[in-house]
Amino acid sequence: MLFRQLFDRETSTYTYLLADQATGEAIIIDPVDTQLERDIQLIRELGLRLSYAFDTHVHADHITATGALRERLGCTSGVSKHGNVACADLQLAEADQFRFGRHEIRVLETPGHTDGCLSFVCESRVMTGDALLIRGCGRTDFQQGDAGTLYDSISNKLFTLPADTLVYPGHDYKGMTCSTIGEEKQWNPRMNLAKDEFITFMQQLDLADPKRIHEAVPANLACGKT
């Protein structure tokens, strides 16, 4: 399987491109609008056919390129059924599975950062969006965020995956690119708290709103159209 991790420096967002090398069928996860031409160029250079463009959630820090990729490349877009994105082709839910060539990707609902957060499992990898980050987790102070729900999503769902499952997050702000479920269970300081301690910790975070939240959220509810 072809697997590429792409990065948007402005928002520290990771985009993931997965493809079957025999058939050229591909999936992209969390594409960023300002990186649209980069991603299309890479897809064409690699001789791929983009079948699906998925978002892990309705982002608040950047505008998705799923709608633009659908228009340019004819792929099918998808986001959580809880995200209230009526323009998406697919309303994704727990245990949905999609084939691309010989490979398969499976949907996990991992809410808490938002109501509509998803993770995507493909063979030995999980793309966790803003639920589980490397040595951290997504914030829970806007967009229906709920610390207790996020704790349960990570503890009762993501942490039940095999320990050697590779973790690829939606963002990283410290230069980390990949972890494993086993590493995060051992070394993630937030997830080594008891649930009530975790909730208190998350409630006491005093973070500024994402710079583009008032632009990004409405655009992403419209599949990236501003």
Side-chain angles (χ1 to χ4, degrees):
M1 183 176 70
L2 182 148
F3 179 83
R4 296 292 173 87
Q5 182 183 46
L6 306 169
F7 189 63
D8 176 63
R9 189 179 302 276
E10 182 180 354
T11 60
S12 298
T13 298
Y14 285 124
T15 296
Y16 297 100
L17 180 66
L18 302 84
D20 182 281
Q21 291 176 295
T23 67
E25 294 175 86
I27 293 176
I28 198 166
I29 297 171
D30 286 343
V32 178
D33 66 336
T34 56
Q35 301 294 342
L36 176 65
E37 299 304 329
R38 176 202 67 184
D39 295 348
I40 290 177
Q41 180 178 346
L42 180 60
I43 288 165
R44 288 175 172 165
E45 288 174 349
L46 296 175
L48 305 177
R49 182 177 72 260
L50 191 65
S51 298
Y52 299 103
F54 292 152
D55 275 318
T56 55
H57 61 293
V58 175
H59 302 279
D61 59 348
H62 70 269
I63 296 173
T64 181
T66 54
L69 286 166
R70 178 174 60 184
E71 292 178 2
R72 295 277 296 274
L73 301 182
C75 62
T76 299
S77 67
V79 69
S80 169
K81 68 178 183 179
H82 303 295
N84 298 312
V85 183
C87 55
D89 298 313
L90 298 173
Q91 303 294 312
L92 304 176
E94 178 76 16
D96 282 348
Q97 298 181 38
F98 301 91
R99 295 202 64 82
F100 56 110
R102 300 162 297 173
H103 306 285
E104 189 172 79
I105 196 164
R106 175 168 56 93
V107 176
L108 295 180
E109 292 186 355
T110 50
H113 172 64
T114 73
D115 277 352
C117 280
L118 304 174
S119 295
F120 295 93
V121 179
C122 185
E123 298 172 0
S124 61
R125 302 174 178 87
V126 58
M127 282 61 70
T128 55
D130 284 18
L132 178 63
L133 305 179
I134 297 175
R135 309 300 192 265
C137 65
R139 58 195 291 181
T140 57
D141 57 336
F142 58 79
Q143 279 184 283
Q144 316 93 37
D146 184 276
T149 299
L150 180 59
Y151 189 90
D152 290 341
S153 291
I154 297 173
S155 295
N156 301 334
K157 194 164 290 185
L158 291 172
F159 278 2
T160 65
L161 296 171
D164 61 353
T165 302
L166 296 170
V167 172
Y168 288 98
H171 297 278
D172 190 82
Y173 307 97
K174 298 180 181 179
M176 303 290 282
T177 59
C178 179
S179 182
T180 68
I181 291 296
E183 272 187 55
E184 294 309 309
K185 290 173 76 171
Q186 183 175 4
W187 296 112
N188 192 308
R190 297 184 183 184
M191 296 311 301
N192 281 320
L193 299 171
K195 183 176 180 178
D196 59 341
E197 295 172 328
F198 177 86
I199 292 171
T200 299
F201 175 84
M202 297 300 290
Q203 289 174 341
Q204 291 176 346
L205 291 176
D206 186 19
L207 302 172
D209 284 346
K211 294 179 181 179
R212 300 182 66 189
I213 185 171
H214 299 296
E215 172 192 11
V217 171
N220 291 330
L221 290 172
C223 295
K225 292 185 177 181
T226 57

